[in-house]
Amino acid sequence: MLKSLMAIGALLVATALLYAGNGLQGTLLSVRGDLEAFSTGVLGILVSAYYIGFIAGCRIVPSIIGAVGHIRTFVALASVASSSALAHALIVDPVAWSVLRVVSGFGFAGLAMVLESWINERATNQNRGTLLSIYRIVDLGAITVGNALLGVADPEAFHLFALVSILISLGLVPLALTRSEAPAVPQSVRLDLGRLYAVSPVGAAGGLVTGLANAAFWGLGPVFAQRLGYEPATVGAFMGISIFGGALFQFPVGWISDRVDRRKVVLIAVLLGVVSAIGLAVLASQSVLFLFGLGFVFGALILPTFGLCAAHANDVTDRGDEVATNGGLLLLHGIGAVVGAVAGAAVMSLGPPEALFGYIATVYFVFAVFVVFRVFARAPVADADKTPFVPSPKSPSTDIGDEVDPAA
Protein backbone atom coordinates (compact mmCIF):
# COMPACT_ATOMS: atom_id res chain seq x y z
CA MET A 1 0.00 0.00 0.00
CA LEU A 2 2.88 2.35 0.77
CA LYS A 3 4.22 1.82 -2.73
CA SER A 4 0.79 2.59 -4.20
CA LEU A 5 0.53 5.79 -2.15
CA MET A 6 3.98 6.89 -3.28
CA ALA A 7 2.88 6.32 -6.88
CA ILE A 8 0.04 8.83 -6.48
CA GLY A 9 1.79 11.14 -4.01
CA ALA A 10 2.11 13.97 -6.54
CA LEU A 11 -1.58 13.62 -7.38
CA LEU A 12 -2.59 13.87 -3.73
CA VAL A 13 -0.45 16.96 -3.20
CA ALA A 14 -2.02 18.58 -6.28
CA THR A 15 -5.47 17.59 -5.01
CA ALA A 16 -4.87 19.18 -1.60
CA LEU A 17 -3.68 22.49 -3.07
CA LEU A 18 -6.39 22.75 -5.71
CA TYR A 19 -9.27 21.85 -3.44
CA ALA A 20 -8.05 24.10 -0.64
CA GLY A 21 -8.07 26.97 -3.13
CA ASN A 22 -11.46 26.10 -4.57
CA GLY A 23 -12.98 25.50 -1.13
CA LEU A 24 -11.81 28.93 0.03
CA GLN A 25 -13.00 30.54 -3.20
CA GLY A 26 -16.56 29.22 -2.98
CA THR A 27 -17.12 30.48 0.56
CA LEU A 28 -15.22 33.72 -0.06
CA LEU A 29 -17.40 34.64 -3.05
CA SER A 30 -20.59 34.03 -1.07
CA VAL A 31 -19.37 36.17 1.84
CA ARG A 32 -17.94 38.93 -0.37
CA GLY A 33 -21.03 38.97 -2.57
CA ASP A 34 -23.22 39.41 0.50
CA LEU A 35 -20.97 42.24 1.73
CA GLU A 36 -21.28 43.88 -1.70
CA ALA A 37 -25.09 43.78 -1.28
CA PHE A 38 -25.63 41.24 -4.06
CA SER A 39 -29.18 39.97 -3.75
CA THR A 40 -29.78 36.42 -2.57
CA GLY A 41 -31.04 35.57 -6.05
CA VAL A 42 -27.77 36.75 -7.59
CA LEU A 43 -25.79 34.66 -5.12
CA GLY A 44 -27.82 31.63 -6.14
CA ILE A 45 -27.17 32.36 -9.81
CA LEU A 46 -23.42 32.44 -9.10
CA VAL A 47 -23.62 28.91 -7.71
CA SER A 48 -25.69 27.75 -10.68
CA ALA A 49 -23.18 29.34 -13.06
CA TYR A 50 -20.42 27.23 -11.52
CA TYR A 51 -22.38 24.04 -12.13
CA ILE A 52 -23.26 25.06 -15.69
CA GLY A 53 -19.55 25.40 -16.36
CA PHE A 54 -18.88 22.11 -14.59
CA ILE A 55 -21.41 20.20 -16.70
CA ALA A 56 -19.96 21.74 -19.87
CA GLY A 57 -16.47 20.78 -18.73
CA CYS A 58 -17.47 17.17 -18.14
CA ARG A 59 -18.69 16.95 -21.72
CA ILE A 60 -15.95 18.95 -23.48
CA VAL A 61 -12.74 18.33 -21.54
CA PRO A 62 -12.37 14.67 -22.63
CA SER A 63 -11.99 15.93 -26.21
CA ILE A 64 -9.31 18.39 -25.09
CA ILE A 65 -7.47 15.60 -23.27
CA GLY A 66 -7.67 13.48 -26.40
CA ALA A 67 -6.14 16.27 -28.45
CA VAL A 68 -3.26 17.44 -26.22
CA GLY A 69 -2.97 14.92 -23.37
CA HIS A 70 -3.59 14.96 -19.63
CA ILE A 71 -0.65 17.06 -18.45
CA ARG A 72 -1.08 19.88 -20.97
CA THR A 73 -4.81 19.95 -20.28
CA PHE A 74 -4.18 20.08 -16.53
CA VAL A 75 -1.65 22.91 -16.76
CA ALA A 76 -3.88 24.94 -19.08
CA LEU A 77 -7.02 24.55 -16.96
CA ALA A 78 -5.19 25.29 -13.69
CA SER A 79 -3.86 28.48 -15.23
CA VAL A 80 -7.36 29.48 -16.35
CA ALA A 81 -8.83 28.70 -12.91
CA SER A 82 -6.06 30.67 -11.16
CA SER A 83 -6.59 33.68 -13.42
CA SER A 84 -10.34 33.49 -12.87
CA ALA A 85 -9.85 33.66 -9.10
CA LEU A 86 -7.86 36.90 -9.42
CA ALA A 87 -10.33 38.38 -11.89
CA HIS A 88 -13.09 38.18 -9.27
CA ALA A 89 -11.20 40.73 -7.17
CA LEU A 90 -10.54 43.03 -10.14
CA ILE A 91 -14.13 43.12 -11.43
CA VAL A 92 -16.70 43.08 -8.63
CA ASP A 93 -19.85 42.82 -10.70
CA PRO A 94 -22.61 40.17 -10.69
CA VAL A 95 -22.57 39.62 -14.45
CA ALA A 96 -18.78 39.39 -14.59
CA TRP A 97 -18.73 37.04 -11.62
CA SER A 98 -21.35 34.81 -13.26
CA VAL A 99 -19.17 34.45 -16.35
CA LEU A 100 -16.11 33.82 -14.20
CA ARG A 101 -17.95 31.13 -12.22
CA VAL A 102 -18.79 29.33 -15.46
CA VAL A 103 -15.09 29.49 -16.34
CA SER A 104 -14.11 28.20 -12.88
CA GLY A 105 -16.61 25.35 -13.07
CA PHE A 106 -15.34 24.33 -16.49
CA GLY A 107 -11.74 24.44 -15.29
CA PHE A 108 -12.30 22.39 -12.15
CA ALA A 109 -14.31 19.80 -14.05
CA GLY A 110 -11.24 19.17 -16.18
CA LEU A 111 -8.83 19.29 -13.25
CA ALA A 112 -10.87 16.76 -11.28
CA MET A 113 -11.21 14.57 -14.36
CA VAL A 114 -7.44 14.44 -14.86
CA LEU A 115 -6.74 13.74 -11.18
CA GLU A 116 -9.34 11.02 -10.73
CA SER A 117 -8.65 9.24 -14.00
CA TRP A 118 -4.93 9.28 -13.16
CA ILE A 119 -5.53 7.79 -9.70
CA ASN A 120 -7.83 5.13 -11.15
CA GLU A 121 -5.17 4.28 -13.72
CA ARG A 122 -2.61 3.72 -10.96
CA ALA A 123 -4.99 1.66 -8.81
CA THR A 124 -5.59 -2.08 -8.98
CA ASN A 125 -8.83 -3.94 -8.30
CA GLN A 126 -7.39 -4.87 -4.91
CA ASN A 127 -6.60 -1.32 -3.72
CA ARG A 128 -8.88 0.90 -5.82
CA GLY A 129 -11.43 1.48 -3.05
CA THR A 130 -8.74 2.27 -0.50
CA LEU A 131 -6.90 4.70 -2.78
CA LEU A 132 -10.11 6.51 -3.78
CA SER A 133 -11.10 6.71 -0.12
CA ILE A 134 -7.74 8.31 0.71
CA TYR A 135 -8.28 10.70 -2.19
CA ARG A 136 -11.69 11.64 -0.75
CA ILE A 137 -10.18 12.25 2.67
CA VAL A 138 -7.55 14.51 1.12
CA ASP A 139 -10.06 16.54 -0.89
CA LEU A 140 -12.51 16.95 2.00
CA GLY A 141 -9.68 17.80 4.38
CA ALA A 142 -8.34 20.37 1.91
CA ILE A 143 -11.77 21.97 1.51
CA THR A 144 -12.04 22.14 5.31
CA VAL A 145 -8.66 23.88 5.51
CA GLY A 146 -9.63 26.20 2.66
CA ASN A 147 -12.74 27.33 4.51
CA ALA A 148 -10.70 27.89 7.68
CA LEU A 149 -8.45 30.27 5.71
CA LEU A 150 -11.38 32.66 5.32
CA GLY A 151 -10.50 34.17 8.69
CA VAL A 152 -6.89 35.08 7.89
CA ALA A 153 -7.73 38.30 5.99
CA ASP A 154 -10.54 40.74 5.25
CA PRO A 155 -12.96 39.30 2.61
CA GLU A 156 -13.33 42.81 1.19
CA ALA A 157 -9.59 43.05 0.49
CA PHE A 158 -7.52 41.53 -2.32
CA HIS A 159 -5.48 39.14 -0.15
CA LEU A 160 -7.84 36.15 -0.02
CA PHE A 161 -8.41 36.21 -3.78
CA ALA A 162 -4.65 36.23 -4.24
CA LEU A 163 -4.34 33.32 -1.82
CA VAL A 164 -6.87 31.31 -3.86
CA SER A 165 -4.87 32.00 -7.01
CA ILE A 166 -1.60 31.02 -5.33
CA LEU A 167 -3.02 27.70 -4.08
CA ILE A 168 -4.45 26.80 -7.50
CA SER A 169 -1.23 27.79 -9.25
CA LEU A 170 0.87 25.70 -6.88
CA GLY A 171 -1.49 22.79 -7.52
CA LEU A 172 -0.24 22.42 -11.08
CA VAL A 173 3.41 22.05 -10.04
CA PRO A 174 3.34 18.39 -8.86
CA LEU A 175 1.78 17.11 -12.08
CA ALA A 176 3.83 19.39 -14.30
CA LEU A 177 7.01 17.87 -12.83
CA THR A 178 5.86 14.27 -12.42
CA ARG A 179 7.68 11.51 -14.24
CA SER A 180 4.67 9.22 -13.94
CA GLU A 181 3.08 8.14 -17.21
CA ALA A 182 -0.23 9.82 -18.01
CA PRO A 183 -3.40 7.68 -18.08
CA ALA A 184 -5.27 6.54 -21.14
CA VAL A 185 -7.68 8.96 -22.81
CA PRO A 186 -11.24 8.53 -21.42
CA GLN A 187 -13.85 7.20 -23.81
CA SER A 188 -17.12 9.02 -24.44
CA VAL A 189 -20.26 7.26 -23.23
CA ARG A 190 -23.88 7.68 -24.30
CA LEU A 191 -26.04 8.68 -21.33
CA ASP A 192 -29.65 7.49 -21.04
CA LEU A 193 -31.37 9.07 -18.03
CA GLY A 194 -34.64 7.24 -18.66
CA ARG A 195 -32.88 3.89 -18.56
CA LEU A 196 -30.97 4.94 -15.46
CA TYR A 197 -34.24 5.70 -13.65
CA ALA A 198 -35.74 2.40 -14.78
CA VAL A 199 -32.73 0.51 -13.44
CA SER A 200 -32.37 2.46 -10.18
CA PRO A 201 -35.16 4.89 -9.24
CA VAL A 202 -33.57 5.67 -5.85
CA GLY A 203 -30.14 6.20 -7.40
CA ALA A 204 -31.45 8.52 -10.11
CA ALA A 205 -33.68 10.47 -7.73
CA GLY A 206 -30.84 10.68 -5.21
CA GLY A 207 -28.50 12.15 -7.81
CA LEU A 208 -31.04 14.87 -8.63
CA VAL A 209 -32.09 15.56 -5.02
CA THR A 210 -28.56 15.89 -3.66
CA GLY A 211 -27.94 18.51 -6.34
CA LEU A 212 -31.16 20.36 -5.50
CA ALA A 213 -30.38 20.50 -1.77
CA ASN A 214 -26.60 20.40 -1.41
CA ALA A 215 -25.83 23.09 -3.98
CA ALA A 216 -28.02 25.46 -1.98
CA PHE A 217 -26.05 24.58 1.15
CA TRP A 218 -22.61 24.94 -0.49
CA GLY A 219 -23.45 28.26 -2.09
CA LEU A 220 -25.70 29.88 0.49
CA GLY A 221 -24.61 28.25 3.76
CA PRO A 222 -21.97 30.98 4.25
CA VAL A 223 -24.59 33.66 3.59
CA PHE A 224 -26.93 32.00 6.09
CA ALA A 225 -24.30 32.14 8.84
CA GLN A 226 -23.20 35.67 7.95
CA ARG A 227 -26.75 37.02 8.01
CA LEU A 228 -27.24 35.52 11.44
CA GLY A 229 -24.53 37.96 12.55
CA TYR A 230 -21.47 35.73 12.70
CA GLU A 231 -18.01 36.97 11.70
CA PRO A 232 -16.24 35.69 8.54
CA ALA A 233 -13.93 33.45 10.59
CA THR A 234 -16.95 31.81 12.23
CA VAL A 235 -18.65 31.46 8.84
CA GLY A 236 -15.62 29.65 7.45
CA ALA A 237 -15.43 27.44 10.54
CA PHE A 238 -19.12 26.53 10.19
CA MET A 239 -18.63 25.36 6.62
CA GLY A 240 -15.39 23.57 7.51
CA ILE A 241 -16.96 21.72 10.46
CA SER A 242 -19.89 20.63 8.29
CA ILE A 243 -17.48 19.25 5.70
CA PHE A 244 -15.43 17.55 8.40
CA GLY A 245 -18.58 15.82 9.66
CA GLY A 246 -19.21 14.47 6.18
CA ALA A 247 -15.62 13.26 5.88
CA LEU A 248 -15.69 11.55 9.28
CA PHE A 249 -18.92 9.65 8.64
CA GLN A 250 -18.27 8.51 5.07
CA PHE A 251 -16.71 5.24 6.21
CA PRO A 252 -19.11 4.14 9.00
CA VAL A 253 -22.15 4.98 6.86
CA GLY A 254 -20.65 3.16 3.88
CA TRP A 255 -19.65 0.18 6.02
CA ILE A 256 -23.21 -0.19 7.30
CA SER A 257 -24.69 0.15 3.81
CA ASP A 258 -22.47 -2.69 2.55
CA ARG A 259 -24.22 -5.00 5.02
CA VAL A 260 -27.89 -3.99 4.90
CA ASP A 261 -30.32 -2.64 2.31
CA ARG A 262 -28.64 0.61 1.18
CA ARG A 263 -32.01 2.25 0.63
CA LYS A 264 -32.79 1.90 4.34
CA VAL A 265 -29.46 3.51 5.23
CA VAL A 266 -30.27 6.33 2.79
CA LEU A 267 -33.70 6.71 4.40
CA ILE A 268 -32.37 6.90 7.97
CA ALA A 269 -29.55 9.29 7.03
CA VAL A 270 -31.92 11.56 5.11
CA LEU A 271 -34.56 11.66 7.85
CA LEU A 272 -31.96 12.47 10.51
CA GLY A 273 -30.54 15.03 8.10
CA VAL A 274 -33.97 16.64 7.87
CA VAL A 275 -34.06 16.90 11.67
CA SER A 276 -30.61 18.49 11.79
CA ALA A 277 -31.57 20.95 9.03
CA ILE A 278 -34.64 21.98 11.01
CA GLY A 279 -32.40 22.28 14.07
CA LEU A 280 -30.11 24.66 12.20
CA ALA A 281 -33.08 26.74 11.10
CA VAL A 282 -34.40 27.01 14.66
CA LEU A 283 -31.29 27.07 16.88
CA ALA A 284 -28.27 28.24 14.84
CA SER A 285 -28.90 31.87 15.71
CA GLN A 286 -28.89 31.13 19.46
CA SER A 287 -25.19 30.40 19.87
CA VAL A 288 -22.09 29.37 17.96
CA LEU A 289 -22.21 25.99 19.73
CA PHE A 290 -25.55 25.20 18.13
CA LEU A 291 -24.26 26.46 14.78
CA PHE A 292 -21.16 24.25 14.88
CA GLY A 293 -22.74 21.22 16.52
CA LEU A 294 -25.75 21.02 14.22
CA GLY A 295 -23.57 21.87 11.22
CA PHE A 296 -21.36 18.88 12.04
CA VAL A 297 -24.36 16.54 12.33
CA PHE A 298 -25.92 17.92 9.15
CA GLY A 299 -22.73 17.37 7.15
CA ALA A 300 -22.21 13.91 8.64
CA LEU A 301 -25.67 12.78 7.53
CA ILE A 302 -26.19 14.60 4.25
CA LEU A 303 -22.79 14.62 2.54
CA PRO A 304 -22.51 10.80 2.25
CA THR A 305 -25.97 10.56 0.63
CA PHE A 306 -24.82 10.86 -2.97
CA GLY A 307 -22.21 8.13 -2.44
CA LEU A 308 -24.89 5.86 -0.97
CA CYS A 309 -27.23 6.48 -3.90
CA ALA A 310 -24.42 5.93 -6.41
CA ALA A 311 -23.43 2.67 -4.73
CA HIS A 312 -27.04 1.47 -4.83
CA ALA A 313 -27.34 2.38 -8.51
CA ASN A 314 -24.16 0.42 -9.27
CA ASP A 315 -25.49 -2.55 -7.31
CA VAL A 316 -28.29 -2.99 -9.86
CA THR A 317 -26.38 -1.88 -12.97
CA ASP A 318 -25.43 -4.48 -15.57
CA ARG A 319 -21.73 -5.17 -15.85
CA GLY A 320 -20.22 -2.94 -18.51
CA ASP A 321 -22.72 -0.11 -17.91
CA GLU A 322 -21.00 1.38 -14.86
CA VAL A 323 -19.54 4.38 -16.69
CA ALA A 324 -22.91 5.29 -18.21
CA THR A 325 -24.57 4.90 -14.80
CA ASN A 326 -22.11 7.15 -13.00
CA GLY A 327 -22.09 9.65 -15.86
CA GLY A 328 -25.88 9.81 -15.68
CA LEU A 329 -25.79 10.33 -11.92
CA LEU A 330 -23.27 13.13 -12.42
CA LEU A 331 -25.47 14.79 -15.03
CA LEU A 332 -28.57 14.54 -12.83
CA HIS A 333 -26.64 15.97 -9.89
CA GLY A 334 -25.42 18.85 -12.03
CA ILE A 335 -28.92 19.62 -13.30
CA GLY A 336 -30.25 19.51 -9.74
CA ALA A 337 -27.45 21.80 -8.57
CA VAL A 338 -28.18 24.40 -11.25
CA VAL A 339 -31.86 24.47 -10.27
CA GLY A 340 -31.32 24.01 -6.53
CA ALA A 341 -28.99 26.96 -6.09
CA VAL A 342 -31.52 29.32 -7.67
CA ALA A 343 -34.47 27.74 -5.84
CA GLY A 344 -32.68 27.95 -2.48
CA ALA A 345 -31.82 31.58 -3.13
CA ALA A 346 -35.42 32.36 -4.08
CA VAL A 347 -36.73 30.80 -0.87
CA MET A 348 -34.10 32.60 1.20
CA SER A 349 -34.88 35.95 -0.42
CA LEU A 350 -38.58 35.62 0.45
CA GLY A 351 -37.95 34.89 4.11
CA PRO A 352 -35.34 35.02 6.86
CA PRO A 353 -31.93 33.32 6.49
CA GLU A 354 -33.32 30.25 8.29
CA ALA A 355 -35.58 29.60 5.28
CA LEU A 356 -32.55 28.10 3.50
CA PHE A 357 -32.52 25.06 5.77
CA GLY A 358 -36.30 24.88 5.64
CA TYR A 359 -35.94 24.45 1.88
CA ILE A 360 -33.22 21.80 2.28
CA ALA A 361 -35.28 19.90 4.86
CA THR A 362 -38.32 19.94 2.57
CA VAL A 363 -36.38 18.59 -0.42
CA TYR A 364 -34.90 15.74 1.59
CA PHE A 365 -38.20 14.92 3.28
CA VAL A 366 -39.89 14.48 -0.11
CA PHE A 367 -36.99 12.23 -1.14
CA ALA A 368 -37.42 10.20 2.07
CA VAL A 369 -41.08 9.59 1.23
CA PHE A 370 -40.04 8.41 -2.25
CA VAL A 371 -37.41 6.05 -0.76
CA VAL A 372 -40.04 4.52 1.57
CA PHE A 373 -42.21 3.80 -1.46
CA ARG A 374 -39.30 2.18 -3.33
CA VAL A 375 -38.31 0.01 -0.35
CA PHE A 376 -41.74 -1.62 -0.47
CA ALA A 377 -41.88 -1.71 -4.29
CA ARG A 378 -38.65 -3.68 -4.90
CA ALA A 379 -36.73 -6.31 -2.95
CA PRO A 380 -33.27 -5.34 -1.67
CA VAL A 381 -30.10 -6.25 -3.53
CA ALA A 382 -28.42 -9.42 -2.27
CA ASP A 383 -25.19 -8.82 -0.34
CA ALA A 384 -23.22 -10.91 -2.86
CA ASP A 385 -24.29 -8.57 -5.69
CA LYS A 386 -23.31 -5.32 -3.97
CA THR A 387 -20.46 -3.15 -5.17
CA PRO A 388 -18.15 -1.70 -2.50
CA PHE A 389 -19.13 1.73 -1.21
CA VAL A 390 -16.72 4.50 -2.26
CA PRO A 391 -16.98 7.88 -0.48
CA SER A 392 -18.30 10.57 -2.82
CA PRO A 393 -19.04 13.91 -1.11
CA LYS A 394 -20.31 15.79 -4.14
CA SER A 395 -19.20 19.23 -3.30
CA PRO A 396 -18.60 21.98 -5.80
CA SER A 397 -14.97 20.92 -5.78
CA THR A 398 -15.46 17.21 -6.31
CA ASP A 399 -18.23 16.28 -8.66
CA ILE A 400 -16.67 13.95 -11.20
CA GLY A 401 -17.30 10.75 -9.26
CA ASP A 402 -16.55 7.54 -11.16
CA GLU A 403 -17.47 8.68 -14.66
CA VAL A 404 -13.84 8.45 -15.66
CA ASP A 405 -13.04 5.18 -13.90
CA PRO A 406 -11.20 3.05 -16.48
CA ALA A 407 -11.86 -0.09 -14.40
CA ALA A 408 -15.51 0.23 -15.38
Side-chain angles (χ1 to χ4, degrees):
M1 178 54 64
L2 180 60
K3 184 178 179 180
S4 298
L5 285 176
M6 291 177 63
I8 64 169
L11 303 174
L12 295 178
V13 173
T15 296
L17 291 166
L18 289 169
Y19 290 160
N22 203 29
L24 171 59
Q25 180 175 221
T27 302
L28 171 61
L29 292 178
S30 295
V31 170
R32 176 64 180 271
D34 192 45
L35 292 172
E36 294 289 342
F38 289 3
S39 70
T40 307
V42 168
L43 295 174
I45 290 173
L46 293 178
V47 180
S48 293
Y50 179 91
Y51 280 100
I52 290 172
F54 206 102
I55 293 171
C58 291
R59 307 266 61 87
I60 297 172
V61 169
S63 298
I64 300 175
I65 294 175
V68 302
H70 284 77
I71 294 180
R72 288 188 177 90
T73 299
F74 187 89
V75 171
L77 293 178
S79 298
V80 169
S82 176
S83 300
S84 174
L86 286 177
H88 283 89
L90 298 176
I91 312 172
V92 183
D93 175 78
V95 175
W97 276 23
S98 296
V99 174
L100 291 171
R101 291 307 282 160
V102 172
V103 173
S104 293
F106 184 93
F108 270 91
L111 294 171
M113 185 174 293
V114 171
L115 287 169
E116 297 193 16
S117 61
W118 209 317
I119 290 173
N120 271 300
E121 185 89 353
R122 294 292 170 268
T124 66
N125 290 338
Q126 289 71 37
N127 65 15
R128 187 179 311 279
T130 301
L131 290 182
L132 286 176
S133 296
I134 293 171
Y135 169 73
R136 295 301 180 197
I137 292 172
V138 170
D139 73 50
L140 284 173
I143 295 170
T144 302
V145 171
N147 277 275
L149 292 174
L150 185 67
V152 304
D154 183 357
E156 294 187 277
F158 181 76
H159 304 80
L160 289 177
F161 292 94
L163 179 57
V164 171
S165 179
I166 290 170
L167 289 169
I168 295 173
S169 297
L170 290 176
L172 65 84
V173 175
L175 261 67
L177 297 179
T178 185
R179 299 173 62 182
S180 179
E181 184 178 352
V185 176
Q187 301 297 313
S188 61
V189 177
R190 180 177 177 272
L191 304 182
D192 187 340
L193 299 184
R195 185 170 183 273
L196 173 59
Y197 179 82
V199 170
S200 177
V202 170
L208 183 66
V209 165
T210 53
L212 285 169
N214 292 8
F217 168 69
W218 289 112
L220 298 170
V223 179
F224 160 79
Q226 183 162 279
R227 291 187 179 177
L228 292 182
Y230 294 109
E231 296 296 321
T234 303
V235 173
F238 163 64
M239 296 300 293
I241 288 171
S242 301
I243 297 164
F244 178 71
L248 195 63
F249 275 75
Q250 292 276 348
F251 286 108
V253 170
W255 185 87
I256 294 171
S257 76
D258 285 339
R259 288 155 179 80
V260 299
D261 186 351
R262 286 196 214 276
R263 297 171 301 176
K264 293 180 180 179
V265 180
V266 170
L267 178 61
I268 293 172
V270 166
L271 286 176
L272 293 176
V274 168
V275 173
S276 64
I278 294 173
L280 278 167
V282 174
L283 299 173
S285 62
Q286 302 302 311
S287 75
V288 71
L289 292 178
F290 281 125
L291 179 73
F292 288 169
L294 290 168
F296 176 86
V297 174
F298 176 81
L301 295 166
I302 294 304
L303 294 187
T305 301
F306 182 92
L308 291 171
C309 293
H312 172 68
N314 280 280
D315 289 340
V316 294
T317 294
D318 293 335
R319 189 167 183 81
D321 290 341
E322 294 94 337
V323 174
T325 294
N326 288 292
L329 291 172
L330 170 67
L331 179 59
L332 285 170
H333 183 82
I335 293 171
V338 171
V339 176
V342 175
V347 170
M348 198 173 177
S349 65
L350 295 174
E354 293 85 350
L356 171 66
F357 282 96
Y359 162 77
I360 293 172
T362 301
V363 171
Y364 272 118
F365 180 77
V366 173
F367 179 50
V369 173
F370 176 77
V371 174
V372 170
F373 171 75
R374 293 307 311 171
V375 167
F376 287 101
R378 179 185 288 181
V381 177
D383 290 345
D385 296 329
K386 286 186 174 182
T387 58
F389 172 84
V390 175
S392 185
K394 287 302 165 211
S395 76
S397 302
T398 57
D399 272 340
I400 291 293
D402 296 320
E403 183 186 16
V404 293
D405 184 352

